[in-house]
Amino acid sequence: VGIVDTGIDLGHPDLGANIKGNVNTINPLKSGNDDNGHGTHVAGTVAAVDNTIGVIGVGPEIYLYAVKVLGKNGSGWLSDIIEGLQWCIDNRMQVVNMSLGTYSEVQSFHDALIVVYNSGIVMAAAAGNDGVSAPLYPAAYDEVIAVAASDINNDIPTWSNYGPHLDLTGPGVDIYSTYKGSTYKTLSGTSMATPHVAGTA
């Protein structure tokens, strides 16, 4: 699974054994190590190791690849995301997790996602956390599995985006997972729901 995000904490004891590669499309001279925390949290939900510490991921034997396309502040450029997606194709990812999005529809981004889809890679993306029905991309594209959030009672939280373009829900409220600096954190969001789907895929 390629974690297209802020990177992954490459030294995290609950992830390290499963991290098999990394890239930084923002600065190719640097590694895919996570300086934000978001990507590490996503990665833990997908594939935290089944050991005596922390948490266990959806698929604790899944190989993780850190595709750092977002900066320390959690935002970035579509060009870096597109480059990261090409890396996922070149390095034979089977699944890509994109807990990110934009409300702007950009044709070059969609074109890149079509290439990923046609290469046989399953893509899961977050629906957004603004409580609106507006389509967030890449989730809203047909080639991508769009994931909204649900809570412990299988209800949709008020902040989760909704609408006919969405495909699935995943657990997204009070999700405990790995975090940067070899730590753990509880977070909520469609970003947390998406890796449940990616890990299952």
Side-chain angles (χ1 to χ4, degrees), residues 74-144:
S75 64
W77 299 95
L78 280 177
S79 56
D80 289 328
I81 298 171
I82 290 169
E83 187 181 338
L85 290 171
Q86 185 60 50
W87 188 92
C88 289
I89 295 170
D90 295 342
N91 290 273
R92 302 174 66 106
M93 296 302 106
Q94 292 172 300
V95 179
V96 165
N97 189 101
M98 291 178 284
S99 289
L100 50 81
T102 174
Y103 288 106
S104 301
E105 189 170 5
V106 180
Q107 189 60 47
S108 60
F109 190 29
H110 193 191
D111 291 344
L113 293 161
I114 291 169
V115 175
V116 176
Y117 178 82
N118 288 338
S119 74
I121 297 172
V122 176
M123 295 177 285
N129 306 323
D130 298 305
V132 297
S133 62
L136 189 76
Y137 303 97
Y141 290 126
D142 290 343
E143 295 81 12
V144 180

Short mmCIF file of all heavy atoms in Angstrom, two decimals, residues 74-144:
data_model
loop_
_atom_site.label_atom_id
_atom_site.label_comp_id
_atom_site.label_asym_id
_atom_site.label_seq_id
_atom_site.Cartn_x
_atom_site.Cartn_y
_atom_site.Cartn_z
N GLY A 74 1.02 19.91 6.31
CA GLY A 74 -0.05 19.03 5.86
C GLY A 74 -0.65 19.39 4.52
O GLY A 74 -1.60 18.75 4.07
N SER A 75 -0.11 20.41 3.86
CA SER A 75 -0.62 20.77 2.54
C SER A 75 0.47 20.59 1.49
O SER A 75 1.64 20.32 1.83
CB SER A 75 -1.15 22.20 2.53
OG SER A 75 -0.10 23.12 2.78
N GLY A 76 0.10 20.76 0.22
CA GLY A 76 1.10 20.56 -0.83
C GLY A 76 0.56 20.93 -2.19
O GLY A 76 -0.53 21.49 -2.33
N TRP A 77 1.36 20.57 -3.20
CA TRP A 77 1.04 20.89 -4.60
C TRP A 77 0.55 19.65 -5.33
O TRP A 77 1.07 18.55 -5.13
CB TRP A 77 2.28 21.44 -5.30
CG TRP A 77 2.81 22.70 -4.69
CD1 TRP A 77 3.80 22.84 -3.76
CD2 TRP A 77 2.34 24.03 -4.98
NE1 TRP A 77 3.98 24.17 -3.44
CE2 TRP A 77 3.11 24.92 -4.17
CE3 TRP A 77 1.36 24.56 -5.83
CZ2 TRP A 77 2.92 26.30 -4.20
CZ3 TRP A 77 1.18 25.93 -5.85
CH2 TRP A 77 1.95 26.79 -5.04
N LEU A 78 -0.43 19.84 -6.20
CA LEU A 78 -0.92 18.72 -7.00
C LEU A 78 0.20 18.10 -7.83
O LEU A 78 0.21 16.89 -8.06
CB LEU A 78 -2.06 19.18 -7.92
CG LEU A 78 -3.44 19.31 -7.28
CD1 LEU A 78 -4.44 19.84 -8.29
CD2 LEU A 78 -3.92 17.98 -6.71
N SER A 79 1.14 18.91 -8.29
CA SER A 79 2.25 18.38 -9.10
C SER A 79 3.06 17.34 -8.32
O SER A 79 3.49 16.33 -8.87
CB SER A 79 3.15 19.51 -9.58
OG SER A 79 3.63 20.28 -8.48
N ASP A 80 3.25 17.57 -7.01
CA ASP A 80 3.98 16.61 -6.18
C ASP A 80 3.16 15.35 -5.96
O ASP A 80 3.72 14.24 -5.89
CB ASP A 80 4.35 17.24 -4.83
CG ASP A 80 5.44 18.29 -4.95
OD1 ASP A 80 6.30 18.15 -5.84
OD2 ASP A 80 5.43 19.26 -4.16
N ILE A 81 1.83 15.51 -5.84
CA ILE A 81 0.95 14.35 -5.68
C ILE A 81 0.97 13.51 -6.97
O ILE A 81 1.09 12.28 -6.91
CB ILE A 81 -0.49 14.79 -5.33
CG1 ILE A 81 -0.49 15.53 -3.99
CG2 ILE A 81 -1.43 13.59 -5.29
CD1 ILE A 81 -1.81 16.20 -3.65
N ILE A 82 0.88 14.17 -8.11
CA ILE A 82 0.91 13.46 -9.40
C ILE A 82 2.22 12.70 -9.55
O ILE A 82 2.24 11.54 -10.00
CB ILE A 82 0.69 14.46 -10.56
CG1 ILE A 82 -0.77 14.95 -10.54
CG2 ILE A 82 1.03 13.83 -11.91
CD1 ILE A 82 -1.04 16.14 -11.45
N GLU A 83 3.33 13.32 -9.16
CA GLU A 83 4.63 12.65 -9.22
C GLU A 83 4.65 11.43 -8.30
O GLU A 83 5.20 10.37 -8.65
CB GLU A 83 5.73 13.64 -8.83
CG GLU A 83 7.14 13.11 -9.01
CD GLU A 83 8.21 14.10 -8.59
OE1 GLU A 83 7.93 15.33 -8.56
OE2 GLU A 83 9.33 13.64 -8.28
N GLY A 84 4.04 11.58 -7.13
CA GLY A 84 3.96 10.47 -6.19
C GLY A 84 3.14 9.31 -6.72
O GLY A 84 3.48 8.14 -6.51
N LEU A 85 2.07 9.63 -7.43
CA LEU A 85 1.24 8.59 -8.03
C LEU A 85 2.00 7.83 -9.11
O LEU A 85 1.88 6.61 -9.25
CB LEU A 85 -0.05 9.20 -8.60
CG LEU A 85 -1.04 9.71 -7.55
CD1 LEU A 85 -2.16 10.50 -8.22
CD2 LEU A 85 -1.61 8.56 -6.72
N GLN A 86 2.80 8.56 -9.88
CA GLN A 86 3.63 7.89 -10.89
C GLN A 86 4.64 6.96 -10.23
O GLN A 86 4.90 5.85 -10.72
CB GLN A 86 4.35 8.92 -11.77
CG GLN A 86 5.14 8.30 -12.93
CD GLN A 86 4.27 7.50 -13.88
OE1 GLN A 86 3.24 7.97 -14.34
NE2 GLN A 86 4.69 6.26 -14.17
N TRP A 87 5.19 7.38 -9.09
CA TRP A 87 6.10 6.53 -8.32
C TRP A 87 5.39 5.24 -7.89
O TRP A 87 5.98 4.15 -7.93
CB TRP A 87 6.62 7.29 -7.11
CG TRP A 87 7.71 6.58 -6.35
CD1 TRP A 87 9.06 6.69 -6.53
CD2 TRP A 87 7.53 5.64 -5.27
NE1 TRP A 87 9.73 5.87 -5.64
CE2 TRP A 87 8.81 5.22 -4.86
CE3 TRP A 87 6.41 5.12 -4.62
CZ2 TRP A 87 9.01 4.30 -3.83
CZ3 TRP A 87 6.60 4.19 -3.60
CH2 TRP A 87 7.88 3.80 -3.21
N CYS A 88 4.12 5.38 -7.51
CA CYS A 88 3.33 4.20 -7.09
C CYS A 88 3.17 3.21 -8.25
O CYS A 88 3.23 1.99 -8.03
CB CYS A 88 1.97 4.64 -6.57
SG CYS A 88 2.04 5.49 -4.98
N ILE A 89 2.98 3.73 -9.44
CA ILE A 89 2.89 2.86 -10.62
C ILE A 89 4.24 2.19 -10.87
O ILE A 89 4.33 0.96 -11.02
CB ILE A 89 2.46 3.66 -11.87
CG1 ILE A 89 1.04 4.20 -11.71
CG2 ILE A 89 2.56 2.78 -13.12
CD1 ILE A 89 0.63 5.19 -12.79
N ASP A 90 5.30 3.00 -10.89
CA ASP A 90 6.63 2.50 -11.20
C ASP A 90 7.10 1.46 -10.20
O ASP A 90 7.88 0.56 -10.54
CB ASP A 90 7.64 3.65 -11.25
CG ASP A 90 7.37 4.64 -12.37
OD1 ASP A 90 6.64 4.29 -13.31
OD2 ASP A 90 7.88 5.78 -12.29
N ASN A 91 6.65 1.58 -8.95
CA ASN A 91 7.08 0.68 -7.88
C ASN A 91 6.04 -0.36 -7.53
O ASN A 91 6.10 -0.98 -6.46
CB ASN A 91 7.52 1.49 -6.66
CG ASN A 91 8.81 2.24 -6.91
OD1 ASN A 91 9.90 1.71 -6.71
ND2 ASN A 91 8.71 3.47 -7.38
N ARG A 92 5.08 -0.53 -8.42
CA ARG A 92 4.12 -1.64 -8.39
C ARG A 92 3.29 -1.73 -7.12
O ARG A 92 3.10 -2.81 -6.55
CB ARG A 92 4.85 -2.97 -8.65
CG ARG A 92 5.61 -3.00 -9.97
CD ARG A 92 6.43 -4.27 -10.10
NE ARG A 92 5.55 -5.43 -10.17
CZ ARG A 92 5.30 -6.13 -11.27
NH1 ARG A 92 5.87 -5.80 -12.41
NH2 ARG A 92 4.51 -7.17 -11.24
N MET A 93 2.78 -0.58 -6.69
CA MET A 93 1.81 -0.60 -5.58
C MET A 93 0.57 -1.35 -6.03
O MET A 93 0.20 -1.34 -7.21
CB MET A 93 1.42 0.82 -5.18
CG MET A 93 2.53 1.68 -4.61
SD MET A 93 3.33 1.01 -3.16
CE MET A 93 4.88 0.48 -3.89
N GLN A 94 -0.10 -2.00 -5.09
CA GLN A 94 -1.39 -2.64 -5.37
C GLN A 94 -2.56 -1.76 -4.93
O GLN A 94 -3.63 -1.80 -5.52
CB GLN A 94 -1.45 -3.99 -4.66
CG GLN A 94 -0.47 -5.01 -5.23
CD GLN A 94 -0.40 -6.26 -4.40
OE1 GLN A 94 -0.06 -6.23 -3.22
NE2 GLN A 94 -0.73 -7.39 -5.00
N VAL A 95 -2.32 -0.97 -3.88
CA VAL A 95 -3.34 -0.07 -3.33
C VAL A 95 -2.68 1.26 -3.01
O VAL A 95 -1.51 1.30 -2.61
CB VAL A 95 -3.97 -0.67 -2.05
CG1 VAL A 95 -5.01 0.27 -1.46
CG2 VAL A 95 -4.59 -2.04 -2.33
N VAL A 96 -3.43 2.35 -3.19
CA VAL A 96 -2.95 3.68 -2.82
C VAL A 96 -3.98 4.31 -1.88
O VAL A 96 -5.18 4.29 -2.16
CB VAL A 96 -2.75 4.56 -4.07
CG1 VAL A 96 -2.61 6.03 -3.68
CG2 VAL A 96 -1.52 4.12 -4.85
N ASN A 97 -3.50 4.85 -0.76
CA ASN A 97 -4.35 5.59 0.17
C ASN A 97 -4.08 7.09 0.03
O ASN A 97 -2.94 7.53 0.17
CB ASN A 97 -4.07 5.16 1.61
CG ASN A 97 -5.06 5.73 2.60
OD1 ASN A 97 -5.99 5.05 3.03
ND2 ASN A 97 -4.89 7.00 2.97
N MET A 98 -5.13 7.86 -0.24
CA MET A 98 -5.02 9.31 -0.36
C MET A 98 -5.96 9.97 0.62
O MET A 98 -7.11 10.25 0.32
CB MET A 98 -5.32 9.76 -1.80
CG MET A 98 -4.26 9.34 -2.80
SD MET A 98 -4.66 9.83 -4.50
CE MET A 98 -5.92 8.61 -4.92
N SER A 99 -5.47 10.21 1.83
CA SER A 99 -6.25 10.94 2.84
C SER A 99 -5.97 12.43 2.66
O SER A 99 -5.38 13.09 3.52
CB SER A 99 -5.89 10.44 4.25
OG SER A 99 -6.40 9.14 4.46
N LEU A 100 -6.38 12.93 1.51
CA LEU A 100 -6.13 14.32 1.10
C LEU A 100 -7.16 14.68 0.05
O LEU A 100 -7.88 13.82 -0.46
CB LEU A 100 -4.71 14.47 0.54
CG LEU A 100 -4.25 13.47 -0.54
CD1 LEU A 100 -4.76 13.83 -1.93
CD2 LEU A 100 -2.72 13.37 -0.54
N GLY A 101 -7.25 15.99 -0.27
CA GLY A 101 -8.20 16.36 -1.31
C GLY A 101 -8.26 17.86 -1.55
O GLY A 101 -7.75 18.67 -0.78
N THR A 102 -8.91 18.20 -2.66
CA THR A 102 -9.13 19.58 -3.05
C THR A 102 -10.53 19.70 -3.65
O THR A 102 -11.02 18.77 -4.28
CB THR A 102 -8.08 20.05 -4.07
OG1 THR A 102 -8.43 21.36 -4.53
CG2 THR A 102 -8.00 19.13 -5.28
N TYR A 103 -11.15 20.84 -3.43
CA TYR A 103 -12.46 21.08 -4.05
C TYR A 103 -12.32 21.58 -5.49
O TYR A 103 -13.32 21.75 -6.18
CB TYR A 103 -13.28 22.07 -3.21
CG TYR A 103 -13.78 21.47 -1.92
CD1 TYR A 103 -13.19 21.82 -0.70
CD2 TYR A 103 -14.82 20.55 -1.90
CE1 TYR A 103 -13.63 21.27 0.49
CE2 TYR A 103 -15.27 19.99 -0.72
CZ TYR A 103 -14.68 20.35 0.48
OH TYR A 103 -15.12 19.78 1.65
N SER A 104 -11.10 21.80 -5.92
CA SER A 104 -10.86 22.25 -7.30
C SER A 104 -10.70 21.05 -8.20
O SER A 104 -9.91 20.14 -7.92
CB SER A 104 -9.59 23.10 -7.37
OG SER A 104 -9.68 24.22 -6.52
N GLU A 105 -11.46 21.03 -9.28
CA GLU A 105 -11.33 19.94 -10.24
C GLU A 105 -10.27 20.33 -11.27
O GLU A 105 -10.42 21.31 -12.00
CB GLU A 105 -12.67 19.65 -10.92
CG GLU A 105 -12.63 18.39 -11.77
CD GLU A 105 -14.00 17.95 -12.26
OE1 GLU A 105 -14.98 18.67 -12.02
OE2 GLU A 105 -14.06 16.88 -12.89
N VAL A 106 -9.19 19.55 -11.30
CA VAL A 106 -8.05 19.84 -12.17
C VAL A 106 -7.86 18.68 -13.13
O VAL A 106 -7.64 17.54 -12.70
CB VAL A 106 -6.77 20.08 -11.34
CG1 VAL A 106 -5.58 20.38 -12.25
CG2 VAL A 106 -7.00 21.22 -10.33
N GLN A 107 -7.94 18.95 -14.42
CA GLN A 107 -7.91 17.88 -15.42
C GLN A 107 -6.62 17.06 -15.38
O GLN A 107 -6.65 15.83 -15.52
CB GLN A 107 -8.11 18.46 -16.83
CG GLN A 107 -8.31 17.39 -17.91
CD GLN A 107 -9.52 16.51 -17.66
OE1 GLN A 107 -10.61 17.00 -17.36
NE2 GLN A 107 -9.35 15.19 -17.74
N SER A 108 -5.48 17.72 -15.16
CA SER A 108 -4.21 16.97 -15.14
C SER A 108 -4.17 15.97 -13.98
O SER A 108 -3.56 14.90 -14.11
CB SER A 108 -3.03 17.94 -15.04
OG SER A 108 -3.11 18.72 -13.86
N PHE A 109 -4.82 16.32 -12.88
CA PHE A 109 -4.90 15.41 -11.73
C PHE A 109 -5.76 14.21 -12.08
O PHE A 109 -5.37 13.06 -11.84
CB PHE A 109 -5.46 16.18 -10.53
CG PHE A 109 -5.39 15.44 -9.21
CD1 PHE A 109 -4.40 14.51 -8.96
CD2 PHE A 109 -6.30 15.72 -8.21
CE1 PHE A 109 -4.33 13.85 -7.73
CE2 PHE A 109 -6.24 15.07 -6.98
CZ PHE A 109 -5.26 14.13 -6.75
N HIS A 110 -6.92 14.47 -12.69
CA HIS A 110 -7.79 13.37 -13.09
C HIS A 110 -7.09 12.47 -14.11
O HIS A 110 -7.15 11.24 -14.01
CB HIS A 110 -9.10 13.91 -13.68
CG HIS A 110 -10.17 12.87 -13.83
ND1 HIS A 110 -11.34 13.09 -14.52
CD2 HIS A 110 -10.23 11.58 -13.39
CE1 HIS A 110 -12.08 11.98 -14.49
NE2 HIS A 110 -11.42 11.06 -13.81
N ASP A 111 -6.39 13.06 -15.05
CA ASP A 111 -5.66 12.28 -16.06
C ASP A 111 -4.67 11.34 -15.39
O ASP A 111 -4.54 10.17 -15.77
CB ASP A 111 -4.91 13.21 -17.02
CG ASP A 111 -5.85 14.00 -17.93
OD1 ASP A 111 -7.04 13.62 -18.04
OD2 ASP A 111 -5.40 14.99 -18.52
N ALA A 112 -3.97 11.85 -14.38
CA ALA A 112 -2.98 11.03 -13.66
C ALA A 112 -3.66 9.88 -12.93
O ALA A 112 -3.15 8.75 -12.91
CB ALA A 112 -2.20 11.89 -12.67
N LEU A 113 -4.81 10.14 -12.34
CA LEU A 113 -5.54 9.10 -11.61
C LEU A 113 -6.06 8.02 -12.55
O LEU A 113 -6.09 6.83 -12.19
CB LEU A 113 -6.70 9.74 -10.84
CG LEU A 113 -6.29 10.66 -9.69
CD1 LEU A 113 -7.43 11.57 -9.31
CD2 LEU A 113 -5.81 9.86 -8.49
N ILE A 114 -6.45 8.41 -13.75
CA ILE A 114 -6.89 7.43 -14.75
C ILE A 114 -5.75 6.49 -15.11
O ILE A 114 -5.94 5.27 -15.24
CB ILE A 114 -7.44 8.15 -16.00
CG1 ILE A 114 -8.77 8.84 -15.66
CG2 ILE A 114 -7.64 7.17 -17.16
CD1 ILE A 114 -9.26 9.79 -16.73
N VAL A 115 -4.54 7.03 -15.23
CA VAL A 115 -3.37 6.20 -15.52
C VAL A 115 -3.12 5.21 -14.37
O VAL A 115 -2.82 4.04 -14.60
CB VAL A 115 -2.12 7.08 -15.77
CG1 VAL A 115 -0.88 6.23 -15.95
CG2 VAL A 115 -2.33 7.96 -16.99
N VAL A 116 -3.25 5.70 -13.13
CA VAL A 116 -3.09 4.81 -11.97
C VAL A 116 -4.14 3.70 -12.00
O VAL A 116 -3.82 2.51 -11.83
CB VAL A 116 -3.21 5.61 -10.65
CG1 VAL A 116 -3.14 4.68 -9.44
CG2 VAL A 116 -2.13 6.68 -10.56
N TYR A 117 -5.38 4.08 -12.25
CA TYR A 117 -6.49 3.12 -12.31
C TYR A 117 -6.24 2.08 -13.39
O TYR A 117 -6.42 0.87 -13.17
CB TYR A 117 -7.79 3.89 -12.57
CG TYR A 117 -9.01 3.01 -12.70
CD1 TYR A 117 -9.68 2.54 -11.57
CD2 TYR A 117 -9.51 2.66 -13.95
CE1 TYR A 117 -10.81 1.75 -11.69
CE2 TYR A 117 -10.64 1.87 -14.08
CZ TYR A 117 -11.28 1.41 -12.95
OH TYR A 117 -12.39 0.61 -13.06
N ASN A 118 -5.82 2.54 -14.56
CA ASN A 118 -5.60 1.63 -15.69
C ASN A 118 -4.40 0.71 -15.47
O ASN A 118 -4.27 -0.32 -16.15
CB ASN A 118 -5.43 2.42 -16.99
CG ASN A 118 -6.74 3.01 -17.47
OD1 ASN A 118 -7.82 2.54 -17.11
ND2 ASN A 118 -6.66 4.05 -18.28
N SER A 119 -3.54 1.07 -14.52
CA SER A 119 -2.41 0.20 -14.20
C SER A 119 -2.81 -0.89 -13.21
O SER A 119 -1.99 -1.74 -12.85
CB SER A 119 -1.25 1.03 -13.62
OG SER A 119 -1.53 1.43 -12.29
N GLY A 120 -4.06 -0.86 -12.76
CA GLY A 120 -4.58 -1.91 -11.90
C GLY A 120 -4.47 -1.63 -10.41
O GLY A 120 -4.69 -2.52 -9.59
N ILE A 121 -4.15 -0.40 -10.05
CA ILE A 121 -4.02 -0.03 -8.63
C ILE A 121 -5.37 0.42 -8.08
O ILE A 121 -6.06 1.22 -8.70
CB ILE A 121 -2.97 1.10 -8.46
CG1 ILE A 121 -1.58 0.60 -8.89
CG2 ILE A 121 -2.94 1.59 -7.02
CD1 ILE A 121 -0.53 1.71 -8.93
N VAL A 122 -5.73 -0.11 -6.90
CA VAL A 122 -6.94 0.31 -6.20
C VAL A 122 -6.63 1.59 -5.44
O VAL A 122 -5.64 1.65 -4.71
CB VAL A 122 -7.43 -0.77 -5.23
CG1 VAL A 122 -8.64 -0.29 -4.43
CG2 VAL A 122 -7.77 -2.06 -6.00
N MET A 123 -7.48 2.61 -5.59
CA MET A 123 -7.27 3.89 -4.91
C MET A 123 -8.44 4.18 -3.96
O MET A 123 -9.59 4.10 -4.37
CB MET A 123 -7.15 5.03 -5.92
CG MET A 123 -5.93 4.95 -6.81
SD MET A 123 -5.90 6.30 -8.04
CE MET A 123 -7.15 5.72 -9.20
N ALA A 124 -8.09 4.55 -2.73
CA ALA A 124 -9.10 4.99 -1.75
C ALA A 124 -8.74 6.41 -1.33
O ALA A 124 -7.57 6.73 -1.12
CB ALA A 124 -9.12 4.07 -0.54
N ALA A 125 -9.76 7.28 -1.23
CA ALA A 125 -9.51 8.68 -0.88
C ALA A 125 -10.58 9.21 0.07
O ALA A 125 -11.73 8.76 0.07
CB ALA A 125 -9.45 9.56 -2.13
N ALA A 126 -10.19 10.19 0.87
CA ALA A 126 -11.06 10.77 1.90
C ALA A 126 -12.11 11.68 1.29
O ALA A 126 -11.82 12.46 0.37
CB ALA A 126 -10.21 11.54 2.91
N ALA A 127 -13.33 11.62 1.84
CA ALA A 127 -14.45 12.41 1.34
C ALA A 127 -14.37 13.87 1.76
O ALA A 127 -14.94 14.75 1.11
CB ALA A 127 -15.76 11.81 1.82
N GLY A 128 -13.68 14.16 2.88
CA GLY A 128 -13.60 15.52 3.39
C GLY A 128 -14.36 15.69 4.70
O GLY A 128 -15.27 14.91 5.00
N ASN A 129 -13.98 16.72 5.44
CA ASN A 129 -14.48 16.90 6.81
C ASN A 129 -15.24 18.21 7.00
O ASN A 129 -15.21 18.80 8.08
CB ASN A 129 -13.31 16.86 7.80
CG ASN A 129 -12.47 15.61 7.65
OD1 ASN A 129 -12.98 14.53 7.40
ND2 ASN A 129 -11.17 15.76 7.79
N ASP A 130 -15.92 18.69 5.97
CA ASP A 130 -16.61 19.98 6.04
C ASP A 130 -18.12 19.85 6.17
O ASP A 130 -18.83 20.86 6.15
CB ASP A 130 -16.24 20.83 4.82
CG ASP A 130 -14.74 21.12 4.78
OD1 ASP A 130 -14.21 21.65 5.77
OD2 ASP A 130 -14.11 20.80 3.76
N GLY A 131 -18.63 18.63 6.28
CA GLY A 131 -20.06 18.42 6.45
C GLY A 131 -20.90 18.89 5.28
O GLY A 131 -22.05 19.30 5.45
N VAL A 132 -20.33 18.82 4.07
CA VAL A 132 -21.01 19.31 2.87
C VAL A 132 -21.12 18.19 1.83
O VAL A 132 -20.43 17.17 1.92
CB VAL A 132 -20.26 20.51 2.26
CG1 VAL A 132 -20.26 21.69 3.23
CG2 VAL A 132 -18.84 20.14 1.86
N SER A 133 -21.97 18.42 0.84
CA SER A 133 -22.14 17.43 -0.23
C SER A 133 -21.27 17.75 -1.44
O SER A 133 -21.29 17.01 -2.42
CB SER A 133 -23.61 17.36 -0.65
OG SER A 133 -24.03 18.62 -1.18
N ALA A 134 -20.52 18.84 -1.37
CA ALA A 134 -19.65 19.22 -2.49
C ALA A 134 -18.61 18.12 -2.73
O ALA A 134 -18.05 17.59 -1.78
CB ALA A 134 -18.96 20.54 -2.20
N PRO A 135 -18.35 17.80 -4.00
CA PRO A 135 -17.36 16.77 -4.28
C PRO A 135 -15.94 17.23 -3.96
O PRO A 135 -15.54 18.33 -4.34
CB PRO A 135 -17.54 16.50 -5.78
CG PRO A 135 -18.19 17.72 -6.32
CD PRO A 135 -19.01 18.29 -5.21
N LEU A 136 -15.21 16.38 -3.25
CA LEU A 136 -13.79 16.60 -2.98
C LEU A 136 -13.01 15.65 -3.89
O LEU A 136 -13.37 14.48 -4.03
CB LEU A 136 -13.49 16.31 -1.51
CG LEU A 136 -12.09 16.68 -1.00
CD1 LEU A 136 -11.98 18.19 -0.80
CD2 LEU A 136 -11.79 15.95 0.32
N TYR A 137 -11.98 16.18 -4.51
CA TYR A 137 -11.17 15.37 -5.42
C TYR A 137 -9.84 15.03 -4.76
O TYR A 137 -9.28 15.86 -4.04
CB TYR A 137 -10.94 16.14 -6.73
CG TYR A 137 -12.23 16.54 -7.39
CD1 TYR A 137 -12.76 17.82 -7.22
CD2 TYR A 137 -12.94 15.62 -8.17
CE1 TYR A 137 -13.96 18.18 -7.80
CE2 TYR A 137 -14.14 15.98 -8.76
CZ TYR A 137 -14.66 17.26 -8.58
OH TYR A 137 -15.84 17.60 -9.16
N PRO A 138 -9.33 13.79 -4.91
CA PRO A 138 -9.69 12.79 -5.91
C PRO A 138 -10.87 11.88 -5.56
O PRO A 138 -11.29 11.09 -6.41
CB PRO A 138 -8.42 11.95 -6.03
CG PRO A 138 -7.86 11.98 -4.65
CD PRO A 138 -8.13 13.39 -4.16
N ALA A 139 -11.40 11.95 -4.33
CA ALA A 139 -12.44 11.00 -3.92
C ALA A 139 -13.61 10.95 -4.89
O ALA A 139 -14.15 9.87 -5.17
CB ALA A 139 -12.93 11.35 -2.52
N ALA A 140 -14.02 12.11 -5.43
CA ALA A 140 -15.23 12.18 -6.24
C ALA A 140 -15.08 11.57 -7.63
O ALA A 140 -16.08 11.35 -8.32
CB ALA A 140 -15.70 13.63 -6.35
N TYR A 141 -13.86 11.30 -8.05
CA TYR A 141 -13.67 10.70 -9.37
C TYR A 141 -14.09 9.23 -9.36
O TYR A 141 -13.90 8.52 -8.37
CB TYR A 141 -12.21 10.81 -9.81
CG TYR A 141 -11.77 12.21 -10.15
CD1 TYR A 141 -10.66 12.79 -9.54
CD2 TYR A 141 -12.47 12.98 -11.09
CE1 TYR A 141 -10.25 14.08 -9.86
CE2 TYR A 141 -12.07 14.27 -11.41
CZ TYR A 141 -10.96 14.81 -10.79
OH TYR A 141 -10.56 16.10 -11.10
N ASP A 142 -14.65 8.78 -10.48
CA ASP A 142 -15.16 7.41 -10.58
C ASP A 142 -14.08 6.35 -10.36
O ASP A 142 -14.38 5.24 -9.93
CB ASP A 142 -15.79 7.18 -11.96
CG ASP A 142 -17.09 7.94 -12.14
OD1 ASP A 142 -17.68 8.37 -11.14
OD2 ASP A 142 -17.53 8.10 -13.31
N GLU A 143 -12.84 6.69 -10.66
CA GLU A 143 -11.75 5.72 -10.57
C GLU A 143 -11.31 5.46 -9.13
O GLU A 143 -10.53 4.54 -8.86
CB GLU A 143 -10.53 6.21 -11.37
CG GLU A 143 -10.75 6.31 -12.86
CD GLU A 143 -11.49 7.58 -13.30
OE1 GLU A 143 -11.65 8.52 -12.48
OE2 GLU A 143 -11.89 7.64 -14.47
N VAL A 144 -11.83 6.28 -8.20
CA VAL A 144 -11.36 6.26 -6.81
C VAL A 144 -12.50 5.86 -5.88
O VAL A 144 -13.65 6.28 -6.07
CB VAL A 144 -10.82 7.66 -6.43
CG1 VAL A 144 -10.33 7.68 -4.99
CG2 VAL A 144 -9.72 8.09 -7.39
#
